[in-house]
Amino acid sequence: MPTAALYDSTSQQLTAQLPDARASQIETLALIVVGIAQSVSAQIGKIARALPLDTTQAAKEQRIRRLLDNERVTQTDHYQPLAKAALHGLNGQRVQLLMDRVLLRDTHNILVVSIGFRRRSLPLAWIALAHRGQSGVADQQAVLRSALTLLPERVRVSIHADSEFRSQELFAWIRAHGHDGMLGVPGRTLVALTPDGAATALVTWLPNRETVAYLNGVYLTEDRLGPVNLLAWWAQDDDGKPIVHAVMTNLPATWATYRYGSRRMWIETVFRDWQSGGFHLDDSGVTDRARFARLLVPLVIAYLWFVAVGRWVVKRGYRTLVDDGPARSWKYSLCHIGIAWNERLGSYTQAIPVLLKLYL
């Protein structure tokens, strides 16, 4: 595959969309983005082998490491302008921000906010946490604030997250900024119908496994936090045992809201694509937290590239050339459709188009 020509096209795109970045930064960033795209890997050795440079493997790996050591390379300056431009077509629409946390190899604890897109999602902002375990409200607000700045005008935002993010402080912050919230709460949560009424366990509202509870204007836990609207239903844990899931929201507790809330799971495709389902980010070999956070910059650019190409393939009617799933049940994510298209073109020694904007 003509990787040198692909580098030229990528460099031109990044230069046009990142006018404030230094030329030397663009040059190295474009090389590494192409290396990640061609190797579909986050491992420095594999990325280096795919760089279109006539030099030794050691020299190429050292160039990658220099970028990872460069504190001037940030998601704010080198990725988020690309994401903002990619989302321009969503102007005036209803959008979902999906927040979750992923722990990689019990080493890197990454808090991520993605935007839902076509049953998948695209990362907008992330924080490499300095500790294991759950994130705090300050970090959650910071990463949401960063993601919100990238959205086009006149969008209506709903923010979705699981029960790790259940704090009333975060929920109040979301509402104070004029956004809808759908935050998970534990199944053991106590619910009261009035501020001074008796509180009962959620399970009492779910008499059988097919039940979905729709509770409007209720109060949660012994502290009587509320009023909020609540949705609760039966699911299964990783061992197949029944467990109660629930979400608090300002939206009406209805079947339509229940179905809308399922979009939170769209962020899971990002984590699969990052790990064993794609780039093997969990096997990057980078242990330093700051360097790992900078590795995410070219990797997420490559991810945006593949998602954009995947969407272009679908819009042009070419999906069945690389994905044999039925129309309503694709086998691959948009990212993997983009990867598969790259492989298909590679068999004809053709280069994948450099697309960094999303077709709606």
Side-chain angles (χ1 to χ4, degrees):
M1 181 175 294
T3 54
L6 197 58
Y7 161 75
D8 290 339
S9 299
T10 304
S11 179
Q12 291 170 9
Q13 283 269 13
L14 296 182
T15 299
Q17 296 195 47
L18 302 174
D20 296 329
R22 295 183 177 183
S24 59
Q25 294 171 354
I26 292 291
E27 179 183 354
T28 302
L29 187 62
L31 282 169
I32 296 175
V33 169
V34 169
I36 291 173
Q38 294 302 95
S39 64
V40 194
S41 176
Q43 297 178 18
I44 290 178
K46 291 184 178 180
I47 298 169
R49 285 195 290 274
L51 297 186
L53 294 175
D54 185 17
T55 187
T56 65
Q57 175 73 5
K60 290 191 284 186
E61 291 186 13
Q62 182 58 33
R63 185 154 189 177
I64 296 171
R65 291 191 180 95
R66 282 200 297 269
L67 181 125
L68 300 186
D69 289 333
N70 189 345
E71 296 179 356
R72 295 188 180 91
V73 175
T74 67
Q75 59 175 298
T76 301
D77 294 334
H78 297 87
Y79 170 68
Q80 291 182 350
L82 305 176
K84 186 171 186 175
L87 301 178
H88 179 74
L90 296 175
N91 193 330
Q93 298 191 27
R94 188 175 188 177
V95 300
Q96 303 81 42
L97 293 186
L98 318 174
M99 181 163 57
D100 207 346
R101 181 177 58 85
V102 60
L103 182 62
L104 302 172
R105 291 285 185 183
D106 203 31
T107 301
H108 296 297
N109 197 14
I110 312 298
L111 179 64
V112 183
V113 171
S114 291
I115 185 169
F117 181 72
R118 301 290 177 178
R119 295 179 294 170
R120 276 56 177 182
S121 68
L122 179 72
L124 297 183
W126 59 89
I127 295 176
L129 300 173
H131 57 81
R132 299 181 185 180
Q134 296 187 356
S135 55
V137 173
D139 286 330
Q140 295 162 10
Q141 291 174 347
V143 73
L144 282 170
R145 192 179 293 111
S146 181
L148 287 165
T149 63
L150 307 181
L151 301 180
E153 296 179 354
R154 299 188 303 277
V155 293
R156 181 181 177 185
V157 180
S158 60
I159 295 173
H160 304 242
D162 66 19
S163 58
E164 174 181 331
F165 309 92
R166 63 186 179 272
S167 76
Q168 284 288 327
E169 182 180 353
L170 178 63
F171 188 77
W173 183 88
I174 291 170
R175 296 297 297 132
H177 285 76
H179 309 310
D180 297 324
M182 295 194 73
L183 305 184
V185 296
R188 63 181 181 277
T189 299
L190 300 178
V191 180
L193 298 181
T194 62
D196 54 358
T200 58
L202 265 177
V203 68
T204 62
W205 296 92
L206 299 167
N208 58 66
R209 296 293 187 264
E210 290 74 37
T211 301
V212 177
Y214 306 102
L215 305 175
N216 288 287
V218 297
Y219 297 81
L220 307 183
T221 74
E222 294 88 342
D223 297 330
R224 299 296 195 270
L225 301 173
V228 297
N229 303 329
L230 193 71
L231 299 153
W233 64 95
W234 285 101
Q236 291 184 337
D237 63 16
D238 294 338
D239 297 323
K241 298 178 180 179
I243 185 174
V244 174
H245 285 179
V247 169
M248 63 178 175
T249 180
N250 61 289
L251 299 172
T254 63
W255 171 253
T257 302
Y258 171 72
R259 295 296 301 160
Y260 184 61
S262 65
R263 299 185 181 194
R264 184 190 71 79
M265 300 305 295
W266 292 358
I267 197 172
E268 296 298 328
T269 61
V270 171
F271 296 152
R272 285 196 299 270
D273 291 340
W274 278 8
Q275 299 181 79
S276 60
F279 296 97
H280 297 278
L281 186 58
D282 46 336
D283 290 326
S284 69
V286 178
T287 57
D288 180 78
R289 180 172 60 90
R291 298 176 80 241
F292 186 85
R294 277 189 285 276
L295 175 62
L296 284 173
V297 174
L299 186 139
V300 177
I301 294 174
Y303 189 85
L304 166 61
W305 182 2
F306 280 137
V307 169
V309 170
R311 180 58 183 161
W312 176 84
V313 169
V314 171
K315 287 288 285 185
R316 294 295 296 267
Y318 300 151
R319 181 186 64 85
T320 55
L321 295 177
V322 294
D323 183 303
D324 59 4
R328 294 188 177 275
S329 182
W330 301 351
K331 183 176 180 180
Y332 295 140
S333 67
L334 285 173
C335 175
H336 269 273
I337 290 173
I339 292 171
W341 192 252
N342 186 36
E343 293 170 348
R344 178 182 173 86
L345 293 186
S347 68
Y348 298 101
T349 66
Q350 297 176 9
I352 187 175
V354 181
L355 301 177
L356 296 176
K357 292 189 178 181
L358 301 178
Y359 286 75
L360 299 184

